[in-house]
Every structure is written in C-alpha cells, then in structure tokens.
Amino acid sequence: MAALGYHICIHLKDNRVLAHTPVQQRRLARLVASFATRTPILTFSAPDTHLHVQACCSRRAAGRLAQALGSALKQRLRLPVGFESYRPKPIRDQQHLFNSARYILTQHEQHELPLERVIEASNLPDLLGMPLIGAATRAHLGRWLPR
C-alpha cells in the first residue's frame, strides 16, 4: 500500500537553533510555505534545532523536498553549516495523517517551549485564519484533512 505522504525532519549538522529571532522565524516560515505551491505541504514547524514538515507526496518527492529545503534555508538564513535529514517517515493512513499534523503543530509542547517561541516558525497562524504567508498549506490541509 502506498503512503499518503511523508513526515520529513531536517536539522543542522551541529544541531544549532535554526532561527533565533522572530524575524528569522518568519523568514523560515515564508520560505517553507513557498514550497507548498509545488508540493502539498500540510503542516510545518521549526521549534528550535530542527524542522518538521508533513507533505502528501511520493518518497522520492519527500527526499527532494528535504534536500531543497535544507539548501534554501542554508542560503536564506545564512547558516554556517549544512543540514542532515532523517529518513522521511511514511504516513500510512488517514489517522496517521491526522496524528502527524497534530504532532508537528504541537512541537512547542514536546520541547517545553512557549507557543510564542515557535508560532512564527510554523504554518499554524495560516491554519487558524490569521495573516497568511502560506495560503497553499491551508488549502492542502483542508483537502487532505477536511475534519
């Protein structure tokens, strides 16, 4: 059975924080959201040292997305080291898709961080109907997780 999509996670080789300031966090979010026009990205969040992305695509497309995101983020955020990625995890069914979305959007809780620290580096504001940076992610989430 083919996967519905993949949960992608990338981090810097030295595990440093990806975006320290709200300005950097918004820059990261805008960049990740820009990829949703080409790949159905549903959710993403960068709580501190890593980025989680949920995309409804093939395994091959998930690998290309992880590589492209790492390259673009390194350049755009002027990061001194490159990225490593974990093997994209297949999303098996609709319940797994829902659980993955919840997991990604609650990363601040997983890492005991205040919501204010990570909300700028995610598409949560878009999904809540706040000012949009990634309208495509909102549309994709509505299509893949209508409830």
Side-chain angles (χ1 to χ4, degrees):
M1 182 165 79
L4 291 178
Y6 287 85
H7 180 159
I8 299 161
C9 187
I10 63 174
H11 63 97
L12 291 169
K13 290 180 180 176
D14 63 1
N15 278 320
R16 70 178 67 203
V17 172
L18 297 177
H20 293 277
T21 68
V23 170
Q24 290 174 324
Q25 292 165 349
R26 284 190 294 273
R27 190 174 294 146
L28 179 148
R30 281 192 302 273
L31 185 96
V32 176
S34 73
F35 280 80
T37 60
R38 295 169 273 179
T39 303
I41 293 173
L42 278 62
T43 59
F44 66 86
S45 177
D48 51 12
T49 62
H50 54 287
L51 168 67
H52 291 270
V53 178
Q54 180 189 43
C56 289
C57 61
S58 69
R59 168 63 179 90
R60 185 177 201 160
R64 286 194 308 261
L65 178 60
Q67 183 180 21
L69 281 169
S71 176
L73 286 168
K74 184 178 185 319
Q75 291 173 30
R76 184 75 170 111
L77 298 178
R78 296 185 181 109
L79 298 167
V81 296
F83 280 87
E84 290 183 0
S85 61
Y86 301 101
R87 180 177 304 196
K89 294 181 182 172
I91 298 171
R92 300 176 304 278
D93 55 35
Q94 194 70 18
Q95 186 62 46
H96 191 190
L97 191 66
F98 176 79
N99 291 342
S100 178
R102 176 178 279 170
Y103 176 81
I104 289 170
L105 293 174
T106 60
Q107 278 295 293
H108 64 285
E109 294 171 3
Q110 306 287 331
H111 297 285
E112 299 179 1
L113 297 168
L115 180 59
E116 298 79 30
R117 168 70 184 92
V118 296
I119 196 164
E120 298 286 359
S122 76
N123 68 326
L124 185 58
D126 294 323
L127 303 177
L128 295 174
M130 297 166 80
L132 295 175
I133 58 164
T137 64
R138 189 173 180 182
H140 295 315
L141 187 75
R143 191 173 101 214
W144 289 84
L145 282 170
R147 292 188 194 180

